[in-house]
Amino acid sequence: MAPHREVRSSAAHRTMNYTEFSALLEQGDLVLVDVLPEASYAAGHIPGALSLPLARLAELAPRLLPEKDRPIVVYCGGPD
Amino acid sequence: MRHFVGGLEEWLARGRALAAPREIASSQPDRPRSWARAIIDWLDSISTRRLFSLWLVMILVCGIGFWLLDAIDGHGLRTAQGPVPRDALGLLTSIYFSFVTATSVGYGDVVPVGLTRLLAILEAVTAMLLFGAVVAKFVSGRQERLVAEIHRLTFEERIERVQANLHAVISDLSLLIEACSDATRDHARLASRVESVVRLFLGELRTTHALLYRPELDLDEQRLEAILVELSTALEALSDLLACTAAPKRRSPQLEANLRSIATLADEICGTCVPRDHPPALKVWMDRIQALANRVA
């Protein structure tokens, strides 16, 4: 993630490691969000992810993420 | 909301595959590929030399086939002197016949009888198609090399042009900043100069952005670094200039739109955003460009 950005969200914000992530993916009971720019998403993304670039997060989120019951998992390029 | 910290980096490091919208649209696991399509794809993939060897091998195999069929009475090859013998000489004759059939010469000194007729027909058709493919590949091979060369030259020209234009943009911006700070100058006249330099900058930024997002292209690392450094410098100069000139409300809509495009494109250039993994030095410059994007719009 670019160090200069902050993701403002009112929901609880917890991190997840690969094992948990992989397990949750198997179950399929989640909403996976890719916050990288559109061009990066087009070049390749984790299968099943939705594209919500950080720059347009505020405007797209209400439209694409209506359900609050399923867990939402975001990812970006890497730990940095 | 939870955050998978590892991100794409860890996903790939663990050897997992990515999906890309293009792939999803075209792959339809329910529809089997038609065999015609499969044959064409296979022909495309092997080299001309291999295809030619395949043609030769097929002829030899058919030759042996004819000789083996000779073992069945009434289904071998015949010459004017009678059926072809089943010894080594017969094998040679069979191979000879195979070549004569495959190249569609058909002297008629050796003729097939019975089952060998079927094999001869199959061989004639297949050999003709195969050989046609060999010739076609051979001819198009040269064309493909020419096209690749043209692509390479055009690409290099493009990179050089990007560098040259960025030079011009930076020097223009410096001049404009000087003129802007000088209160005695007429600021209205500056506006059109600002618009044109912004337009030029946007063009080159767009080209660079497109190049970065095509991982199959082989960009010279040094050149790329030079371009990134200049992009970064130009962005800084642009934001300084914007700080000095007219307030956003008084800018023309075209200029506003261009500035927004610049900001969006620059925002998408960061070390971990682009598909290709570049050396850390370049990533630092890319991140810097992304950071500067904020200051432009």
Side-chain angles (χ1 to χ4, degrees):
Chain A
M1 288 247 212
H4 305 275
R5 298 231 177 238
E6 299 166 21
V7 177
R8 282 177 242 277
S9 91
S10 53
H13 192 100
R14 279 169 50 210
T15 60
M16 180 189 278
N17 64 25
Y18 175 76
T19 329
E20 278 188 82
F21 179 60
S22 195
L24 206 53
L25 263 187
E26 296 283 305
Q27 289 176 10
D29 195 24
L30 81 168
V31 178
L32 184 57
V33 173
D34 177 333
V35 293
L36 291 168
E38 283 160 14
S40 168
Y41 179 84
H45 54 268
I46 298 182
L50 295 172
S51 175
L52 263 80
L54 267 184
R56 301 171 55 200
L57 192 55
E59 72 178 85
L60 290 176
R63 269 195 295 134
L64 295 178
L65 305 175
E67 321 158 15
K68 308 279 185 185
D69 50 348
R70 292 205 290 175
I72 301 173
V73 181
V74 301
Y75 74 88
C76 56
D80 334 296
Chain B
M1 175 173 314
R2 300 184 59 185
H3 176 205
F4 169 47
V5 200
L8 272 183
E9 217 176 281
E10 187 170 10
W11 183 263
L12 289 171
R14 302 255 181 183
R16 311 264 323 240
L18 292 179
R22 266 179 292 124
E23 287 172 13
I24 293 177
S26 62
S27 77
Q28 292 172 44
D30 302 317
R31 280 187 56 203
R33 270 197 321 183
S34 74
W35 56 267
R37 180 85 244 190
I39 291 179
I40 293 176
D41 285 344
W42 171 73
L43 276 178
D44 263 336
S45 65
I46 64 180
S47 75
T48 316
R49 205 164 293 174
R50 270 196 95 187
L51 196 54
F52 184 69
S53 329
L54 187 65
W55 181 74
L56 283 177
V57 162
M58 186 208 70
I59 292 177
L60 287 173
V61 165
C62 285
I64 296 176
F66 287 125
W67 183 63
L68 290 175
L69 280 175
D70 219 9
I72 313 171
D73 269 329
H75 288 276
L77 302 173
R78 290 188 66 82
T79 63
Q81 289 80 39
V84 164
R86 299 182 205 145
D87 52 8
L89 196 56
L91 176 59
L92 283 177
T93 310
S94 303
I95 292 177
Y96 162 76
F97 172 74
S98 182
F99 266 100
V100 166
T101 308
T103 52
S104 53
V105 173
Y107 288 125
D109 51 352
V110 182
V111 297
V113 176
L115 280 176
T116 37
R117 285 187 169 177
L118 184 59
L119 184 57
I121 290 173
L122 289 173
E123 181 186 9
V125 172
T126 313
M128 181 171 293
L129 292 173
L130 261 181
F131 198 70
V134 168
V135 173
K137 274 188 86 68
F138 181 69
V139 169
S140 76
R142 183 145 187 277
Q143 268 191 314
E144 274 169 28
R145 274 192 291 278
L146 265 170
V147 170
E149 183 66 16
I150 291 176
H151 271 185
R152 194 184 59 80
L153 288 173
T154 321
F155 177 65
E156 284 192 8
E157 260 181 67
R158 228 168 151 209
I159 300 273
E160 279 184 23
R161 205 190 48 190
V162 167
Q163 274 187 290
N165 283 344
L166 281 177
H167 270 309
V169 163
I170 292 174
S171 80
D172 254 1
L173 286 172
S174 325
L175 283 176
L176 285 171
I177 290 174
E178 266 188 49
C180 181
S181 330
D182 183 358
T184 61
R185 291 283 216 101
D186 179 4
H187 283 214
R189 304 255 299 275
L190 288 182
S192 65
R193 288 286 300 276
V194 171
E195 296 216 16
S196 66
V197 77
V198 163
R199 205 172 311 147
L200 183 58
F201 184 29
L202 177 57
E204 300 314 318
L205 177 58
R206 212 172 250 148
T207 305
T208 311
H209 178 277
L211 288 171
L212 283 172
Y213 274 92
R214 297 210 18 216
E216 72 272 13
L217 285 179
D218 227 353
L219 297 164
D220 181 82
E221 298 283 349
Q222 278 189 324
R223 272 257 177 83
L224 183 55
E225 183 164 5
I227 290 177
L228 289 174
V229 170
E230 286 182 4
L231 264 181
S232 163
T233 313
L235 272 173
E236 271 202 78
L238 181 58
S239 61
D240 288 343
L241 179 61
L242 289 174
C244 165
T245 55
K249 277 196 293 287
R250 290 176 52 196
R251 294 182 200 152
S252 78
Q254 187 57 43
L255 181 60
E256 270 300 312
N258 287 347
L259 287 174
R260 252 201 307 277
S261 304
I262 289 178
T264 314
L265 288 168
D267 191 44
E268 292 179 1
I269 296 179
C270 81
T272 46
C273 303
V274 296
R276 201 163 166 176
D277 192 28
H278 292 281
L282 265 65
K283 283 192 181 171
V284 163
W285 282 108
M286 289 193 227
D287 289 339
R288 190 163 161 66
I289 289 174
Q290 185 184 51
L292 288 167
N294 276 333
R295 294 160 53 172
V296 170

